[in-house]
Amino acid sequence: MTSNDTAQSAQVRCTVNGQAIERNVESRMLLSDFIRHELGLTGTHVGCEHGVCGACTVLVDGDSARACLMFAAQADGTEIETVESLASGDSLSPVQQAFSDQHGLQCGFCTPGILMSLTACMREAGCNREQMLSAVGGHICRCTGYVGISRAVDQVLAEGAEQDRGTES
Amino acid sequence: MTRSKGKTHQVQAGDSGGNYVGKAVRRKEDDRLLRGLGRYVDDIDPARQLHASVVRSMVANARITNIDVEAARSAPGVHLVLTGRDLGDLNEPLPLLAGHPSLIAAKTQRPLAVDRVRYVGEAVALIVADTRYLAEDAAELISIDYDILDPVVDLGEASSTSAAVHDDVPGNVAGVVTDGVGDPDSVFASAPYTAKLRLSLERTGGMPMETRGVLADWDPRERMLRVWDSTQAPVAIKHGLCRMFGLSSQQVEVIAPDVGGGFGTKIMLFYPEEVLVPFAARALGRPVKWIEDRWEHFVSANQERGQIHDAEVAFDAEGTILAVRTNFVHDTGAYIPYGIAVPANTLTHVLGQYAVKNYAAKATILYTNKPPVSPYRGAGRPHAVFTMERLIRTVAAKLNMEPYEVRLRNLVPADAFPYDVGLTIDAPIRYDSGNYQAGFEKAIHHLDPAGFRKAQEEARARGRYLGMGICAYIESSGPGPYEGCAAKLTDAGTVVLDVATASQGQGHATSFAQIAADSLGAGIDDVVVRGGDSGKVDFGIGTFGSRSLLLAGNAVAVASERLRNKIAAYVSELFECSHDDLEFSEGQVSVKGAPGQSISLAAIAALANAYGYPVDKPLKDDPAVLEKLRERAANVATPPVFTEDGYFGVGQQLFGSGVHAAIVEVDPEVGAVDVQKYVLVHDCGVVVNPTIVEGQVLGGLVQGLGGALLEVLPFDEQGQPQATSFMDFRMPSIEGLPEIILDHVETPSPLNPLGVKGTGEAGAIPVAAVLAEAIEDALSPFNVFIDRMPLLPHQIANLVTQTPQEASIDDSGVVDAKSDEHK
Ligand code: FES
Ligand code: FES
């Protein structure tokens, strides 16, 4: 950011994927631009900048949020999670793995946003198929026809059920 | 009826017996994309990068009387403001593709409009600033004075209006294309029955989730232009840029990194920004990036579909189709960058799977004050299928037959291939292989029309309206001339395949690797595909027209085979055996039946270069064999270089085919359509990866469903686009997916070694036709006639309530269906 005397700036102190961040940004900077171009976390995508496609979805204090509808300044004091935080080392998270197993992506542009919405949904107790589909319902995927995504949701649920049985016995 | 909405059943395709080809190999590209490690154009942020914003016309048709850029030039953070005059020769009209003698007035767009704008969204100026925010601020300071002209908006009136898109093009006619076979006029004169329909399809667009984007960098040291472009054709863009900028092919590199969907929209040669951004980067000596926003995509990315057909059919009492004619207008928008490509596809796809001996088609291509038209998934084919299948439904209605019975009666027989259609518009249309009866049998089996008719009757008794439709299509694939591949065995035993085609999600990295892995006996993880980088392969075109697997896939097969032969020659000398004694498997080349006579691909590649691999540590090969290899390498004057090129072209298009069927429920009051079940039976020849093919076909299907029931890009009388955000352009979401059954017929193409045909567009092509038939069938108690697509709920509700039963046919556009008396 250079040479704009009229731009007002704001201070953002937040945690992104567990790391403390402190930056000065132009007040009008979108959170999506902040994450992508200031922090270099380009896994969060931008498909519409008007809150409909869901590609920019991240978690803000655990809730899914559209980063294109927030200013970076509004993220001050929050905890943000992006798609880059999902896998640990070599192993993908269960939702990521299910997308890989079930051909839940083609071009991959919509994918990170969907993964974040599903991740938030799965953290809720008693999350069921309907809730997961309705979480995906807030996203547009133009490639897959949603068929692989819907199978991935089924896989995640089946694994969850399996685990529940495992912990009960 | 039992229902399992949102469930998909795939009947497995045949297995070719290869280790990988024919198997549902997991996509190699997914791990990276799932971790957020994709690399799309806007993810690349080089140091010192500047940002561009395009100033666009806000009016549809006007003379520009003045452009004032002074205030913008001195706005904060602005480095450059360009108008058309600043571009010099570079502002000549952009190239014309698919030109044809029938184009009498071909007009293409200039990178920046100079004295006339012809659609809302046309680029007028470019601003480069420190940030996109500042560039957009400055854009507001540019003032353009217009002398506004009447726009040409309505396609039906485009040839009769006094308004002109181009002052020197009378009637707005860009060209008239005709083709045909037999003698339809005399058949119509004597046929027992004829019917005539007016049918229309409206504009829509591919709408990839990633918008367009271009990043360019000029390196003054190397005198090298590097461009990252969200395009389907990086190599073609590169060659175009070379000519436009007067640079040699060593001085330009165009990379299509990960591309977030294309669907045809991203194969434009050229969009203005693909010229403007490189120009600005060179002028400023700094990287310049332009990322299209969604509004810009709605007003300046190419669109497709608008056509109106006056179509006629002649038939006999048994339902045999004697002749077909269609006279249609095609909306090309303000310019015609793609020549006759889309209307020509329509002309050649109308007859589809049907053996009709007399046919005439005439396409009048008209300019309108709307964004230019170029192919969008289906590319003129959905219009053809819609036209033919609507005619067949009219035949069936007249003869009181099921439409599919009429279809079965007219199919090209399975023993008629190769089948010459008799059309010759570009090159003779010749169906290479197919078994259309088999496709229908499977679709009918899955749909169970007899059972459905009972269910339909029961439902009606309960006041519910169910309907079914079954339609067939063909899909020409693999427009030439060729694609290429360079296959290389590298020192880790990894096979690297460089191809010119880029992937926008089609999984080339996987399918192509499967082909090479089988040929070379390598593991799938040991094959790396690099596509979309013009620096690697110079000859080739791009990804469109369902051509990549067919052309580039076979080029991979050719290059891999040559590489295998080269390796075999080298190893057979080493083991003193003949080629035929060698076996390639699991990354090893071995003499059959001779234990110990075996060497890994890794060792071959490593030790071929005498000093390339002084340490054997990671190699697990027999030390004696390694020693032998090393000795040989040290004593040759010409090292074996394990790189081979392969090219493949067919010289004609190949024809995939399929049958789609649907069961829908329609609520006649609100016009809501619930697609309950959708059956797809398709034939794309040999299937290399069933998972990827399924994804392509079903993705196309859902895009087709959107095109039939949701998506339309309307314009008001002033030519102002009425859909400019995802709020006014609805696309399918995961909710409401039908139960889907996917089945296959496999008639390998005899015209390529892999036996494949393209399949990228198959899913989308017949959907509008199928849904029109099914919705009409559901509403048959109301005697509605569907003459257009898409069909939004209020339009369906209007059909039901506002149409008097008898007059319905006339009102809905059948020009003289009632003159079809028995002669
Ligand atoms: S980019 Fe934020 S919702 Fe589309
Ligand atoms: S995978 Fe391309 S938009 Fe969803």
Side-chain angles (χ1 to χ4, degrees), chain B residues 647-662:
Chain B
Y647 285 86
F648 188 79
V650 199
Q652 72 159 77
Q653 301 229 58
L654 306 187
F655 288 84
S657 63
V659 179
H660 285 199

Side-chain angles (χ1 to χ4, degrees), chain A residues 1-4 26 28-30 33 36-37 42-43 45-50 52-53 83-84 87 89-92 96-97 99-101 103 105-112 115 129 133-134 136-137 139-147 149-151 154, chain B residues 6-8 26-27 30-31 33-36 38 40 42-43 45 76-77 130-131 133-134 137 205-211 259-261 263 289 293-294 376 504-505 691-692 694-696 698-699 702-703 711 725-727 729 731-735 737 740:
Chain A
M1 207 72 20
T2 49
S3 73
N4 184 2
E26 208 184 332
R28 62 175 170 172
M29 176 174 279
L30 297 179
D33 283 339
R36 290 175 47 72
H37 300 297
T42 53
H45 298 153
V46 171
C48 69
E49 280 185 305
H50 50 253
V52 181
C53 75
V83 67
E84 285 88 350
D90 274 352
S91 47
L92 298 174
Q96 286 173 314
Q97 189 59 47
F99 270 62
S100 168
D101 294 345
H103 192 27
L105 65 154
Q106 289 183 23
C107 78
F109 198 78
C110 67
T111 315
L115 295 175
R129 183 165 199 270
L133 291 186
S134 114
V136 181
H139 294 260
I140 303 169
C141 173
R142 196 60 166 165
C143 295
T144 63
Y146 306 100
V147 174
I149 297 175
S150 135
R151 277 195 301 241
D154 289 339
Chain B
K7 292 278 175 203
T8 305
R26 185 191 299 265
R27 292 206 329 164
D30 287 355
D31 185 78
L33 296 174
L34 284 163
R35 291 169 185 266
Y40 306 84
D42 192 32
D43 300 346
D45 279 333
D130 284 328
T131 70
Y133 293 72
L134 293 172
D137 289 346
M207 214 52 72
M209 279 302 103
E210 182 207 25
T211 54
V259 173
F263 316 116
K289 181 194 273 178
D293 69 27
R294 188 55 67 179
Y376 156 45
Q504 305 88 44
T691 306
I692 288 175
E694 182 212 56
Q696 283 294 305
L698 299 185
V702 174
Q703 220 163 17
E711 299 164 16
S725 80
F726 287 157
M727 257 93 80
F729 184 85
M731 288 174 282
S733 80
I734 199 168
E735 289 157 300
L737 278 191
I740 297 171

